[in-house]
Amino acid sequence: MTTAGAVRAEGDHGDRGGLRTALAGLTTRGRSFLAAGAAAAVCAYVLGQSDLLRVGLLLAVLPLVCAGVLHRTRYRVTGSRRLSPSRVPAGSEARVHLRMDNVSRMPTGLLMLQDRVPYVLGPRPRFVLDRVEAGGRREVSYRVRSDLRGRYPLGPLQLRLSDPFGMCELTRSFSTYDTLTVIPRVEPLPPVRLSGEAKGHGDGRQRSLALAGDDDVIPRGYRYGDDLRRVHWRSTARYGELMVRREEQPQRARCSVLLDTRAIAYDGAGPDSAFEWAVSGAASVLTHMLERGFSVRLLTDTGTSVPGEGADGFAGASQQSADTAWLMMDTLAVVEHSDGAGLSLAYDALRGGSEGLLVAFLGDLDEEQAAVLARMRQRSRGAVAFLLDSGAWLRDSSGASGPADGGGERPRMLREAGWTVVSVPRGASLEEQWRLADRERSGLAAANGGEGTG
């Protein structure tokens, strides 16, 4: 939930530019009165009718007086906007709350409030506010919805001032705006045996030095606050200073999610396209793994890693999980197709060592990219690939999700390299494909001697 800073709109202060703006704000009614008055004055002069001249002057003066009064208006109005929530999944609604405060000492006239929104969020909302007393407040709200991911600006607010006769209208624009972030849809996933660990930990994992866990015989210097029961007396006597035993804890299991964003790998566009399914799938797996206690990162074919490379690309401590999740969701909200032709940059980002579980969402592959993926498998403890044939998605306009065809040269190459491969048909449920990957991997694990959970 976010709040826009209050902004202020005031009437102009008598300059010529402001007066010209007021005259330019004459409505159709005001211009009609002005034209009728001028015509009546001309006819009165030609015909010598003084009464008609007075009528013409009245018709012509009335819109000018309304414009002048509106031009001299000095009341001040502040406006604020609040989004609830500021992040929504694609296809969900958010509510925008607007509040107008009259901070001047005089009541306002009729006001029309209008907020600028992108067309993908729906029609532009307009509200008519009746007289607002001095120090008064008015609150209105509207809903926005988008089936497309992205960041969408809301605002600035526009306030249209009108005189009581409807002769003139002036528009005042506020200066601030807010941003609505539409993140990919996240589908809940069941816990299955995909990685090699349960709850992000397990036997046989590498262990890292920390503040709690099983004792390690390697000592370190005493620090203020250390428990004196951990003093290592033999090392203390050897080094001549107080030494304590270091401790360790199991290292959190890692999971990398690779999202193939190459433009040449996908055909079609829109909420039901193969690329959008891949983005939603990546978001769902990242969220699921964070909930399971894994350290996760998002990797694209461009080699970009989220979280940043400063922490080796991984993050997942309990206090950081929420921030990590929102960072990845914000990244996926605006991810677009890349101009790259291959996956070599992603391989470079992975080849630093064991990467734990690797889950890849891939578009169309050629033989060269399949070979790169085969080498990636050597850098991970387990690898699962969801293959999306975008051409088949376009051909299948019915949207039915029948059983996938797991044949083909590219899937065979990946399976021979040790990947668990699932070919995703159009409209398939990620939960079903996730379970299918579990069954595929269970069969592979049985053939190779067993694996663990994720």
Side-chain angles (χ1 to χ4, degrees), residues 384-395:
V384 181
F386 294 92
L387 296 183
L388 295 95
D389 184 348
S390 57
W393 279 55
L394 288 179
R395 290 190 299 269

Side-chain angles (χ1 to χ4, degrees), residues 322-346:
D323 294 338
T324 300
W326 285 127
L327 176 61
M328 292 180 176
M329 291 302 106
D330 288 345
T331 301
L332 289 173
V334 296
V335 68
E336 298 292 346
H337 288 299
S338 70
D339 297 329
L343 301 171
S344 58
L345 294 178

Side-chain angles (χ1 to χ4, degrees), residues 261-281:
T261 65
R262 296 172 299 138
I264 61 174
Y266 299 94
D267 294 324
D272 298 325
S273 65
F275 180 65
E276 292 301 321
W277 194 98
V279 173
S280 178

Side-chain angles (χ1 to χ4, degrees), residues 20-358:
R20 286 195 297 268
T21 301
L23 294 176
L26 289 174
T27 63
T28 301
R29 179 185 299 178
R31 295 176 187 274
S32 299
F33 267 67
L34 189 61
V42 171
C43 292
Y45 177 77
V46 173
L47 300 176
Q49 297 291 329
S50 58
D51 292 338
L52 183 59
L53 178 61
R54 285 192 289 270
V55 172
L57 290 177
L58 176 62
L59 293 175
V61 168
L62 181 59
L64 297 178
V65 170
C66 290
V69 170
L70 197 61
H71 163 69
R72 298 292 297 177
T73 297
R74 299 298 180 89
Y75 58 79
R76 295 172 297 170
V77 178
T78 62
S80 63
R81 181 190 301 103
R82 178 169 53 88
L83 307 183
S84 178
S86 60
R87 292 185 182 93
V88 294
S92 300
E93 290 185 344
R95 183 167 289 274
V96 184
H97 302 269
L98 304 176
R99 192 181 79 179
M100 304 299 300
D101 293 275
N102 182 12
V103 296
S104 63
R105 297 182 179 179
M106 59 181 296
T108 70
L110 189 67
L111 305 177
M112 189 177 83
L113 187 64
Q114 177 176 277
D115 205 7
R116 291 184 179 179
V117 300
Y119 73 93
V120 296
L121 297 183
R124 181 171 294 184
R126 294 182 175 88
F127 304 94
V128 177
L129 305 181
D130 205 351
R131 178 179 179 274
V132 182
E133 65 279 5
R137 174 187 302 173
R138 297 290 185 272
E139 294 186 4
V140 294
S141 65
Y142 64 93
R143 294 177 296 179
V144 291
R145 179 181 182 275
S146 175
D147 292 326
L148 299 174
R149 300 173 294 106
R151 287 196 182 102
Y152 300 103
L154 300 178
L157 280 170
Q158 288 184 329
L159 191 64
R160 183 172 295 178
L161 314 177
S162 177
D163 66 277
F165 299 102
M167 297 290 179
C168 184
E169 290 182 348
L170 295 181
T171 300
R172 297 286 183 264
S173 292
F174 294 78
S175 58
T176 61
Y177 66 91
D178 285 298
T179 301
L180 175 68
T181 302
V182 181
I183 62 176
R185 295 183 181 92
V186 175
E187 186 173 344
L189 299 178
V192 296
R193 302 181 64 84
L194 282 179
S195 67
E197 306 302 332
K199 297 291 186 182
H201 306 283
D203 297 333
R205 296 294 298 174
Q206 297 176 352
R207 305 178 72 85
S208 59
L209 295 174
L211 296 179
D214 300 329
D215 287 341
D216 187 356
V217 297
I218 302 176
R220 62 168 174 82
Y222 174 82
R223 298 171 186 168
Y224 179 77
D226 284 339
D227 190 344
L228 292 178
R229 290 175 295 181
R230 292 170 50 210
V231 173
H232 194 264
W233 298 108
R234 183 179 301 174
S235 297
T236 298
R238 177 180 179 183
Y239 293 104
E241 59 178 312
L242 202 60
M243 305 291 290
V244 297
R245 295 187 301 272
R246 286 193 286 186
E247 297 175 341
E248 61 179 1
Q249 66 181 9
Q251 189 180 48
R252 297 172 64 87
R254 291 181 170 186
C255 176
S256 295
V257 176
L258 172 61
L259 176 61
D260 181 8
T261 65
R262 296 172 299 138
I264 61 174
Y266 299 94
D267 294 324
D272 298 325
S273 65
F275 180 65
E276 292 301 321
W277 194 98
V279 173
S280 178
S284 301
V285 172
L286 288 167
T287 302
H288 174 73
M289 288 303 183
L290 277 174
E291 291 174 351
R292 297 286 293 170
F294 281 68
S295 293
V296 300
R297 74 165 165 180
L298 170 66
L299 184 65
T300 68
D301 57 287
T302 62
T304 303
S305 180
V306 181
E309 294 295 343
D312 198 22
F314 287 90
S318 57
Q319 65 270 21
Q320 297 177 344
S321 294
D323 294 338
T324 300
W326 285 127
L327 176 61
M328 292 180 176
M329 291 302 106
D330 288 345
T331 301
L332 289 173
V334 296
V335 68
E336 298 292 346
H337 288 299
S338 70
D339 297 329
L343 301 171
S344 58
L345 294 178
Y347 172 72
D348 292 339
L350 286 173
R351 66 183 184 183
S354 176
E355 297 294 327
L357 176 65
L358 174 60

